Amino acid sequence: MAKLPKITNTYFVALIATVGGMLFGFDISSIAAIVITPQYIEYFNNPSGLIQGAIGSALAAGSVVGSLMAGPISDKYGRRDSIMFACLWWLVGTAVQVSTNGIGSLIAGRVLNGVCVGITSSQVPVYLAEIAKRESRGRIIIIQQLAIEWGIFIMYFASYGCGFIKGTASFRTAWGLQFIPAVLLMIGLPFLPRSPRWLAKVGREEEAIQTLADIQAGGNKEDALVIAEWEEIYTVLVAERESVQGWRKFISNGMWKRTVAGMSVQAWQQLSGANVIVYYLTYVFLIAGLQGNINLIASGIQYALFIVFTSIMFFFIDRTGRRTLLIWGGLGMGICHFVIGGVIGGFSEQVPGGVDGNANVTFKVSGSPSYTVIAFSYLLIITYALTLAPVAWIYAAEVWSLGTRATGMSFAAVANWLFNFALGLFTPPAFQNIQYKIFIIFGVLCVASAIQAYFTYPETCGKTIEEIEHLFAKGAPAAWKTKKGGSRLEAEVQAVLDRKRAGETVHAEIRVEPEKLSSTEDRKDEVV
């Protein structure tokens, strides 16, 4: 069978692959816009507290499972095919949600969807990091965050529109729309190239060199950049094959620093509390006195702000540096949380029956304090969109070595989803029990994230993912002394050019017999 043509423009590749992130966004909004509708409240008997927490966090519970599955699947079958496998879980989960007959089946469907999200959220950034050019890697991976946000925005207003449909068709129609992005992703995936670094890892080196050339130099394997980058990939690959294997490779020879960095940056993305605002902003605006359609529209504005400010970072992410954004983002978000918590704590009044009949929100503020809560909720999301939202995915995908990247990113995603699950479960009862203090807790955690970023996260911007390994090696400079840029790849490219000018024949060579590196099954040619 003839092979399908492959897209090699990395931006177009990212646009297709990151539809996997859009699935996550769709699922967030399908709950966020529906939970305050009378159709949902009546059919599911006004779920509140721990029950509503279980519904909201079910996606994260499934995502933990999906993240744990993702690494081994990605290493064996490839980054691209692991994403295709994830889509099958999404189709089943969506079908279960659409046909739900109660809270149990709704939770089950969201868990199945979560398995898909766990795989895509960990492996799409890995795939993008491995195909991207170093000077645009941040922009390529930030497309993943933009896809999530577009998914949130599109699905939110689609669900808002479905809210005008009478009866259970309201939420069933909204949840049924989730089939669309999954089917589109499954159609597009066969046209994407495999990761050249994964191909090298499993011994398909000729394919790896050709794919690298297609992406970097329009298919020219003799290009100096292709030769220099292949030399770097090959050198790191040989060193990794000679190093320790098994679980020890995540802690030995300084790898523990990368494991801590990758997992903690993903944990802080959740512990910052911003995703709680994303999930439950309709509750926050109920506290601020916004009800009905006004609440839904005001919450939708948040998602538009999310897209606008992350889009701005698309143009600056590879100029600003990762550390700067993580540090100042944590401090800025902490201030927003402290203001929201302080205002609610100082000016709120109790509403025993629940605001607008919602049992999850039993207190409110009015007048000027309510405007302050709304304004700083928006400012919190803007700060998040500029900093932790995109950078946490980028940084976590960059810090791993080739041999640990798929499973390592799975570990990082597990940290993200475990805290997502815990916070999703915790937030509705927290609104009932500790009320404004939840924002104070998140403010403290945001400041803690900035402190860790300053002391333990070296700057990775502008370096190849092979060069990043040296930032965590023994004898590397302290994190706060590292700076963006300074890649040695330019010097290596110049060295290749100098050797060619001197009359030397220089190629991107296959130096190890593939039979020594992988099984025959792993090396079978693709049919697409």
Side-chain angles (χ1 to χ4, degrees):
M1 182 185 297
K3 294 183 179 180
L4 291 175
K6 296 295 185 286
I7 299 169
T8 55
N9 181 292
T10 51
Y11 289 102
F12 284 113
V13 170
L15 286 174
I16 295 173
T18 56
V19 175
M22 187 175 286
L23 298 179
F24 176 32
F26 263 57
D27 198 275
I28 289 175
S29 289
S30 70
I31 288 295
I34 291 295
V35 291
I36 66 171
T37 62
Q39 299 94 317
Y40 175 88
I41 291 172
E42 179 182 349
Y43 186 79
F44 293 104
N45 195 27
N46 198 6
S48 62
L50 195 61
I51 294 175
Q52 180 57 46
I55 295 171
S57 62
L59 178 85
S63 296
V64 172
V65 177
S67 297
L68 289 171
M69 294 166 53
I73 293 171
S74 181
D75 278 336
K76 183 172 178 58
Y77 298 106
R79 315 329 187 192
R80 189 193 68 179
D81 289 358
S82 68
I83 300 169
M84 179 70 81
F85 174 70
C87 291
L88 302 178
W89 290 86
W90 184 269
L91 297 179
V92 175
T94 299
V96 172
Q97 287 188 74
V98 171
S99 60
T100 183
N101 60 359
I103 290 174
S105 57
L106 175 59
I107 291 174
R110 286 179 56 73
V111 168
L112 292 171
N113 276 16
V115 174
C116 167
V117 171
I119 296 172
T120 57
S121 65
S122 63
Q123 297 313 304
V124 170
V126 167
Y127 177 67
L128 298 180
E130 290 186 347
I131 66 167
K133 301 175 182 179
R134 64 174 175 82
E135 66 271 14
S136 61
R137 190 172 58 244
R139 292 197 299 274
I140 292 296
I141 300 178
I142 208 174
I143 295 173
Q144 162 83 348
Q145 181 62 33
L146 280 168
I148 294 172
E149 294 166 12
W150 273 107
I152 292 172
F153 183 79
I154 293 169
M155 189 61 184
Y156 184 86
F157 282 103
S159 298
Y160 169 74
C162 291
F164 293 98
I165 301 173
K166 295 181 179 179
T168 64
S170 170
F171 53 79
R172 294 187 198 279
T173 302
W175 295 338
L177 294 174
Q178 296 178 118
F179 282 116
I180 298 172
V183 172
L184 293 176
L185 178 58
M186 295 177 77
I187 293 171
L189 279 172
F191 295 94
L192 303 188
R194 291 186 181 275
S195 160
R197 288 171 170 85
W198 176 79
L199 289 168
K201 181 175 180 291
V202 298
R204 292 159 61 168
E205 298 188 1
E206 187 174 347
E207 289 179 72
I209 294 170
Q210 185 59 61
T211 302
L212 189 65
D214 291 340
I215 292 170
Q216 298 279 27
N220 180 14
K221 293 192 288 186
E222 305 303 316
D223 184 85
L225 175 59
V226 173
I227 295 169
E229 189 159 356
W230 173 252
E231 290 287 332
E232 191 170 55
I233 293 171
Y234 178 82
T235 300
V236 171
L237 191 59
V238 170
E240 289 186 6
R241 287 177 182 140
E242 295 172 352
S243 64
V244 296
Q245 300 299 312
W247 65 268
R248 289 186 301 162
K249 66 184 177 182
F250 291 97
I251 58 174
S252 63
N253 299 324
M255 267 302 302
W256 67 270
K257 297 177 184 178
R258 285 188 264 184
T259 301
V260 170
M263 295 184 70
S264 62
V265 75
Q266 286 282 288
W268 287 125
Q269 190 190 53
Q270 294 300 325
L271 291 171
S272 69
N275 276 347
V276 169
I277 300 295
V278 171
Y279 273 114
Y280 295 113
L281 188 65
T282 49
Y283 288 175
V284 177
F285 282 175
L286 278 177
I287 295 170
L290 300 183
Q291 300 179 13
N293 288 333
I294 294 176
N295 185 325
L296 288 169
I297 293 171
S299 298
I301 292 172
Q302 170 215 217
Y303 302 131
L305 292 173
F306 215 158
I307 292 171
V308 169
F309 285 92
T310 302
S311 297
I312 291 172
M313 285 312 299
F314 176 85
F315 299 100
F316 295 99
I317 192 71
D318 288 310
R319 302 180 189 178
T320 311
R322 320 300 192 225
R323 279 173 49 82
T324 303
L325 295 172
L326 289 170
I327 293 167
W328 289 107
L331 294 175
M333 292 173 65
I335 291 171
C336 292
H337 279 301
F338 289 140
V339 171
I340 295 170
V343 169
I344 293 175
F347 298 98
S348 64
E349 58 184 85
Q350 298 300 308
V351 183
V355 179
D356 201 23
N358 193 307
N360 288 291
V361 183
T362 58
F363 59 101
K364 69 175 183 177
V365 293
S366 56
S368 295
S370 70
Y371 303 145
T372 302
V373 169
I374 293 168
F376 275 85
S377 294
Y378 283 146
L379 186 59
L380 175 69
I381 291 302
I382 290 171
T383 306
Y384 181 60
L386 291 170
T387 58
L388 262 70
V391 180
W393 292 111
I394 296 168
Y395 199 79
E398 290 177 327
V399 298
W400 306 98
S401 65
L402 177 56
T404 61
R405 188 167 296 115
T407 301
M409 188 62 195
S410 292
F411 289 163
V414 166
N416 185 304
W417 291 112
L418 277 174
F419 284 106
N420 188 305
F421 171 74
L423 292 173
L425 197 63
F426 161 77
T427 299
F431 275 126
Q432 292 178 325
N433 299 317
I434 64 173
Q435 299 184 351
Y436 76 91
K437 298 182 185 71
I438 186 175
F439 296 101
I440 305 301
I441 292 171
F442 284 135
V444 172
L445 291 172
C446 285
V447 173
S449 75
I451 293 171
Q452 186 189 355
Y454 180 82
F455 285 106
T456 68
Y457 294 170
E459 183 56 70
T460 59
C461 181
K463 299 172 174 64
T464 69
I465 53 180
E466 285 73 31
E467 289 173 326
I468 290 169
E469 300 204 17
H470 299 288
L471 298 175
F472 293 92
K474 186 176 181 180
W480 58 89
K481 294 182 179 179
T482 57
K483 300 184 182 299
K484 64 185 178 69
S487 173
R488 65 174 185 267
L489 186 61
E490 289 94 341
E492 293 172 352
V493 171
Q494 187 59 47
V496 172
L497 292 172
D498 291 343
R499 289 162 63 191
K500 285 188 171 186
R501 291 192 192 102
E504 184 179 345
T505 301
V506 186
H507 302 288
E509 299 176 2
I510 301 173
R511 303 185 186 180
V512 180
E513 287 298 318
E515 285 76 11
K516 296 179 182 179
L517 305 178
S518 61
S519 68
T520 302
E521 184 64 28
D522 283 335
R523 298 192 319 275
K524 285 182 179 177
D525 288 337
E526 299 175 67
V527 295
V528 293

